[in-house]
């Protein structure tokens, strides 16, 4: 299996078959498991074997297939699946931190991630320093021998800043800190974050991995020592487990992940290129464009600009709302990575809780619209966007 390509691993890695020899993965929709004897039950609670289970909060065969498949795809030693992407972020951080610890994070983060860092962890005595994630000098100044973890989105939401994983990891590791990367925008297709220096990678499987707007899910990937020694006890006792049915949906999503994401990225590149310089727009943000501040890094680190872009309408929020309401093919939704093309207005939805000065600092302006490309014909998508811009 180690010689298989990513695309092949997405289809076959981690497969378990019952005695019936099914082709499609089975859904083991059970919360508990039966023991032949009391002695067997006792032995399992002392130490589980390779293919043994005791309770769905601890593990399940369908969930384990998903964990093993995405771990093989990511090149990780192990993985633990969670009920949502935010459950994964929370567990990855909270399981390893205690009062008095210090975290350094990029300031450009999804609002819920900021909430965990600034409010939840702060209540338990964890201190935080936020930096401009694209400025390595700020990372060097903020990371100290007392820093236990650094956290950042490899491509930020929604302004698409690209963080140099390898460079930040070198700074963090020199101080003994763990590197935790939220890799949602980069996707498992375009990113090799662990190979580039990350210790832990987090995904919201709700996004590209499901990719069809059906289920919530998340996953944390890393070394076996971290996943089983640090993360698993925390999740087993706090209950953030992925349901077997959702795990099955994610397994089916992984089978077509490569095909979908590459098609979405091609559409994003085409749309961004066609819109750059449009008279109704003050800027087009897409890592695949030469005008993007981290274009070279994005190409070296991912080989693609990804499936997401953002546009800023020159007329501010009124223009952005008129544009959104004039779209016919794109759907207004705060999700992303879907087979359907989606748009959202971050300043009033996903990032609305941020103070105004923080929005300004992060570039989340009233005219900014985040665009997630789907699987529709790129020509139809361009026609829809240009038609809606004409209505502004």
């Amino acid at each position: 299996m180690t010689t298989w390509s990513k695309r092949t691993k997405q289809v076959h890695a981690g497969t378990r078959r019952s005695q019936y020899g099914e082709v499609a993965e089975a859904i083991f929709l059970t919360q508990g498991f039966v023991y032949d004897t009391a002695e067997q039950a006792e032995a399992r609670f002392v130490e589980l074997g390779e293919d043994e289970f005791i309770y769905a909060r601890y593990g399940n065969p369908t969930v384990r297939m998903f964990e093993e498949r995405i771990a093989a795809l990511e090149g990780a030693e192990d993985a633990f699946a969670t009920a949502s992407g935010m459950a994964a972020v929370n567990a990855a951080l909270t399981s390893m931190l205690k009062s008095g610890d210090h975290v350094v994070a990029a300031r450009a983060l999804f609002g819920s991630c900021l909430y965990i860092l600034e409010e939840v962890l702060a209540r338990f005595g964890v201190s935080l320093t936020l930096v401009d994630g694209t400025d390595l000098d700020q990372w060097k100044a903020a990371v100290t021998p007392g820093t236990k973890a650094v956290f950042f989105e490899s491509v930020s939401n929604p302004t698409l800043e690209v963080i140099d994983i390898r460079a930040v990891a070198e700074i963090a590791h020199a101080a003994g800190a763990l590197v935790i990367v939220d890799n949602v925008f980069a996707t498992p297709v375009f990113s090799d974050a662990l190979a580039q220096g990350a210790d832990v990678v987090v995904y919201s499987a709700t996004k590209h991995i499901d990719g069809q707007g059906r289920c919530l899910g998340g996953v944390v990937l890393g070394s076996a020592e971290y996943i089983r020694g640090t993360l698993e006890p925390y999740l087993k006792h706090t209950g953030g487990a992925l349901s077997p049915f959702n795990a099955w949906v994610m397994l089916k999503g992984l089978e077509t992940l490569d095909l979908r994401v590459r098609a979405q990225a091609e559409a994003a590149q085409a749309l961004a290129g066609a819109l750059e310089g449009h008279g109704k727009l003050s800027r087009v943000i897409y890592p695949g464009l030469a005008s993007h501040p981290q274009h070279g890094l994005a190409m070296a680190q991912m080989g693609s600009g990804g499936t997401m872009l953002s546009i800023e309408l020159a007329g501010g929020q009124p223009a952005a709302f008129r544009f959104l309401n004039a779209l016919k093919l794109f759907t207004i939704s705060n999700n992303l990575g879907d087979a359907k093309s989606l748009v959202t207005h971050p300043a009033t939805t996903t990032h609305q809780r941020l103070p105004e000065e923080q929005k300004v600092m992060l570039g989340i302006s009233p005219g900014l619209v985040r665009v997630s490309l789907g699987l529709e014909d790129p020509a139809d998508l361009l026609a829809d966007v240009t038609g809606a811009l004409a209505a502004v």
Side-chain angles (χ1 to χ4, degrees):
M1 187 182 73
T2 56
T3 61
W4 290 348
S5 70
K6 277 190 172 186
R7 187 161 152 182
T8 302
K9 289 175 181 175
Q10 289 167 22
V11 180
H12 291 288
T15 299
R16 279 174 158 81
R17 287 192 172 94
S18 74
Q19 70 272 30
Y20 300 111
E22 62 277 353
V23 174
E25 295 83 0
I27 307 175
F28 291 91
L29 204 58
T30 178
Q31 87 278 31
F33 299 84
V34 174
Y35 314 105
D36 294 332
T37 64
E39 289 81 5
Q40 185 186 66
E42 179 187 31
R44 286 196 191 178
F45 271 82
V46 171
E47 184 176 4
L48 279 176
E50 178 62 27
D51 202 32
E52 294 179 340
F53 303 91
I54 57 176
Y55 193 57
R57 182 157 45 86
Y58 294 14
N60 171 281
T62 311
V63 176
R64 191 62 187 144
M65 279 191 274
F66 171 62
E67 292 168 344
E68 290 183 353
R69 185 167 297 177
I70 195 167
L73 170 61
E74 200 74 17
E77 289 182 359
D78 211 340
F80 201 102
T82 61
S84 69
M86 287 315 306
V89 171
N90 178 67
L93 289 163
T94 307
S95 65
M96 61 157 295
L97 296 169
K98 64 181 186 305
S99 179
D101 285 347
H102 176 235
V103 176
V104 180
R107 67 190 185 190
L109 293 173
F110 179 54
S112 295
C113 294
L114 282 170
Y115 178 83
I116 289 170
L117 289 163
E118 293 180 324
E119 301 202 30
V120 176
L121 291 174
R123 294 174 197 166
F124 300 100
V126 176
S127 62
L128 171 69
T129 302
L130 294 174
V131 299
D132 178 345
T134 65
D135 187 339
L136 294 179
D137 288 335
Q138 289 195 28
W139 285 106
K140 290 174 183 175
V143 175
T144 71
T147 303
K148 298 300 180 184
V150 303
F151 176 76
F152 57 90
E153 296 169 356
S154 53
V155 181
S156 72
N157 179 9
T159 52
L160 302 167
E161 294 178 354
V162 182
I163 309 298
D164 189 333
I165 298 172
R166 197 178 302 279
V168 174
E170 288 177 359
I171 295 167
H173 290 158
L178 202 71
V179 178
I180 303 174
V181 176
D182 183 333
N183 218 24
V184 169
F185 273 36
T187 79
V189 174
F190 294 132
S191 180
D192 289 307
L194 292 172
Q196 291 162 353
D199 299 298
V200 178
V201 170
V202 178
Y203 286 105
S204 171
T206 310
K207 310 303 190 293
H208 300 90
I209 292 170
D210 173 15
Q212 289 157 85
R214 298 168 294 193
C215 291
L216 292 177
V219 64
V220 186
L221 302 108
S223 68
E225 180 183 6
Y226 171 84
I227 296 297
R228 296 302 154 188
T230 300
L231 185 76
E232 182 182 43
Y234 176 84
L235 280 167
K236 281 168 62 174
H237 296 295
T238 56
L242 181 65
S243 83
F245 179 80
N246 287 17
W248 181 83
V249 171
M250 301 307 172
L251 280 164
K252 296 291 101 184
L254 280 177
E255 292 180 349
T256 60
L257 178 66
D258 192 278
L259 298 172
R260 289 184 287 104
V261 166
R262 291 189 189 280
Q264 290 166 322
E266 288 176 9
Q269 183 76 49
L271 184 62
L275 293 179
E276 192 167 35
H278 193 288
K280 299 287 180 71
L281 302 176
S282 55
R283 60 175 174 157
V284 175
I285 310 170
Y286 182 64
L289 294 177
S291 58
H292 190 281
Q294 294 94 43
H295 171 69
L297 174 62
M299 293 302 101
Q301 191 161 280
M302 299 193 299
S304 169
T307 69
M308 307 289 300
L309 61 97
S310 289
I311 58 176
E312 185 174 49
L313 283 92
Q317 182 173 321
F321 275 27
R322 285 197 296 273
F323 166 74
L324 291 169
N325 292 336
L327 289 165
K328 295 180 173 59
L329 183 56
F330 281 82
T331 302
I332 301 174
S333 175
N334 51 287
N335 196 24
L336 60 96
D338 197 280
K340 299 176 178 66
S341 290
L342 308 174
V343 286
T344 193
H345 186 252
T348 56
T349 59
T350 57
H351 292 71
Q352 58 84 23
R353 65 169 289 273
L354 299 182
E356 194 59 37
E357 62 272 15
Q358 195 168 359
K359 291 178 187 175
V360 171
M361 178 184 65
L362 295 175
I364 304 173
S365 68
L368 190 75
V369 173
R370 191 188 73 190
V371 183
S372 172
L373 276 297
L375 297 176
E376 304 91 345
D377 189 303
D380 291 336
L381 295 173
L382 177 59
D384 192 34
V385 171
T386 52
L389 287 172
V392 172

